DNA sequence: GACTACTACGTACGCTGTACTTAGTGAAGG
DNA sequence: CCTTCACTAAGTACAGCGTACGTAGTAGTC
């Protein structure tokens, strides 16, 4: 019977193996890896239960023995790529540097697996690799003299801000990719629309910004670091 | 023919009425209102093209004359609720207070329409009401002496952070709602799982946090304001 | 009045998540 | 050792999705 209703809702609270009956043919790691492979190759929309089952080589419904619901598959996927954090070296003692190190890795992971940002919000954040990451973070913040709750807030805000930032980056990058014509053409249409709206006079301050020639916003990496530095400073103003 | 491929990808760049042919029977506002009504009542998953079409009283495929793709419906929905921002009074002159005012409204809107956070990331942010909001924000930031690009960054970070915060709030609230048993039971299972993981000794610093008795995190409103204050301070440290 | 862009609508296709059923397997308890 | 039964594996089926496409009718433009 698939998806028993007296099971915990969180997949991590389910033991992977109960010890009774035949040995499961696949591991959670196998399944996660397969799903990640599909998402990397063909995008998140290509990740269906059927497709993942086919990828690991079992029947569609057999997959439900391992993954009771689709969202649990998301859990596995996010945990799997969270394993890409390199936390082998212990924190340096400079918590700002350590948090920056962590944030840069988070951004790198999200760039390597763009689909992560789409499913991250539906994930519980208590998967093994999430806890591993949190623990390293707490170690890094040992020297920071703030209440424990604030450390969790810091962790959450850094993660959230990185996600928001990358989501914006992706949105900008995506703008044209799906256009039937070239990206430039679509960008031009957007620009023309915006210019038209501004020209109506309904948005005077936005018009002023445009007239002033809004900054070319420079390097994305620089903007990212600036954002991050601001955020960290806000927790311990010097 | 529905969904012509030589049309702009952004619905806002499409005129609502071209002047040729029969007068459209419905307006974008009608459609947006209908979709919002459904989402408010039965959740985002209930918002399908069929259901929206039925709600406004037309055939399913007729809706595609107004809304070429599903994501465009999202645009209409987000713009519609963005109309709930009260920007009737001009900015006060105190940009921190004004941004706080804006952020509180954003949070209120997302609490009134929980589904917004799920679709907000797939939206372009150049809808009429988004521009109206941005313009008010720019007016509020007139007194802040930073480059124009930084003002846009501030707007983006505030919006993004509010979204992240509310998404977390919702995730916590949702944790138990979908459980077959009571929310407490599920919470207990989660807690037991976490305790078990911590007890393995794999997460020493997390264990220390638990042992120390992690702060009960107090009022969510207070946490929100603290987060916001930090963010604003990070743009203009006093 | 002819033309033509537009609205309106129904049918149909391929896909989704997953409830339910049946059969077989192998470790645990007596 | 043998019975028991929780477990794995798989297939079938269903309700619903987004939307491509074709057809018919309508109302502004030349």
């Amino acid at each position: 019977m698939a998806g028993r209703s007296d099971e915990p809702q969180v997949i991590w609270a389910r033991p992977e193996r109960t010890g009774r009956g035949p040995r499961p043919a696949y591991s959670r790691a196998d399944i996660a890896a397969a799903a990640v492979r599909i998402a990397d190759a063909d995008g998140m929309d290509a990740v269906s239960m059927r497709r993942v089952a086919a990828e690991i080589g079992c029947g569609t419904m057999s997959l439900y023995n391992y993954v009771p619901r689709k969202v649990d598959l998301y859990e596995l996927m996010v945990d799997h790529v969270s394993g890409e954090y390199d936390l082998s070296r212990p924190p340096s003692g400079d918590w700002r540097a350590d948090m920056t190190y962590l944030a840069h890795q988070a951004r790198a992971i999200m760039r390597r697996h763009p689909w992560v940002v789409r499913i991250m919000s539906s994930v519980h954040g208590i998967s093994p690799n999430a806890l591993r990451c949190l623990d390293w973070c707490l170690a890094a913040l040992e020297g920071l003299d703030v209440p424990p709750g604030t450390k969790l807030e810091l962790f959450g805000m850094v993660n959230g801000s990185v996600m928001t930032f990358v989501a914006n980056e992706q949105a900008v990058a995506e703008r044209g990719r799906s256009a039937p014509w070239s990206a430039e053409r679509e960008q031009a249409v957007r620009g023309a629309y915006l210019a038209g709206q501004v020209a109506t006079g309904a948005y005077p301050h936005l018009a002023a910004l445009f007239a002033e020639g809004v900054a070319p916003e420079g390097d994305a990496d620089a903007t990212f670091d600036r954002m991050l530095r601001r955020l960290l400073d806000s927790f311990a103003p010097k």
Side-chain angles (χ1 to χ4, degrees), chain A:
Chain A
M1 187 186 308
R4 296 175 43 173
S5 70
D6 62 335
E7 285 285 356
Q9 294 294 293
V10 187
I11 192 172
W12 306 113
R14 266 165 71 113
E16 185 165 2
R17 173 108 172 84
T18 50
R20 200 63 172 278
R23 183 164 297 281
Y26 315 99
S27 71
R28 280 182 185 162
D30 291 337
I31 297 168
V36 165
R37 226 177 300 131
I38 294 169
D40 283 345
D42 297 335
M44 196 58 212
D45 288 339
V47 178
S48 67
M49 296 301 272
R50 280 169 235 265
R51 178 86 186 269
V52 172
E55 179 83 12
I56 64 174
C58 75
T60 302
M61 292 318 290
S62 306
L63 188 54
Y64 278 88
N65 290 314
Y66 302 88
V67 182
R69 300 162 311 163
K70 181 92 187 275
V71 288
D72 294 317
L73 184 61
Y74 297 162
E75 296 273 350
L76 296 189
M77 292 173 76
V78 172
D79 180 67
H80 188 263
V81 299
S82 297
E84 295 180 12
Y85 277 103
D86 174 19
L87 307 178
S88 56
R89 75 173 92 157
S92 66
D94 176 355
W95 67 269
R96 282 162 196 275
D98 289 335
M99 293 306 292
T100 306
Y101 175 67
L102 218 53
H104 278 163
Q105 286 199 61
R107 183 162 174 239
I109 289 173
M110 292 183 196
R111 286 157 83 98
R112 212 147 44 218
H113 311 286
W115 43 269
V116 167
V117 299
R118 268 187 45 189
I119 63 175
M120 184 151 271
S121 60
S122 63
V123 148
H124 284 115
I126 57 170
S127 74
N129 278 317
L131 293 181
R132 173 175 144 265
C133 190
L134 173 57
D135 199 68
W136 194 91
C137 175
L138 289 175
L141 294 179
E142 201 112 271
L144 180 62
D145 187 32
V146 297
T150 305
K151 292 183 181 179
L152 291 179
E153 275 179 50
L154 200 163
F155 182 68
M157 285 230 36
V158 167
N159 268 9
S161 297
V162 171
M163 207 191 74
T164 304
F165 188 92
V166 176
N168 273 337
E169 273 187 314
Q170 285 182 9
V172 170
E174 195 80 22
R175 289 262 186 279
R177 213 194 324 278
S178 64
W181 329 305
S182 70
E184 295 76 31
R185 182 86 177 79
E186 189 62 30
Q187 196 75 5
V189 169
R190 260 176 63 87
Y193 159 75
L194 261 180
Q197 289 302 304
V198 164
T200 63
Y203 313 105
H205 302 89
L206 191 55
L209 205 78
F210 268 61
E212 200 172 340
V214 61
E217 81 187 43
D219 194 2
D221 293 353
T223 307
F224 181 79
D225 285 334
R226 202 163 51 241
M227 178 274 291
L228 191 58
R229 203 170 329 112
R230 281 203 200 100
L231 193 67
L232 295 180
D233 283 347
S234 77
F235 277 87
K238 302 194 261 208

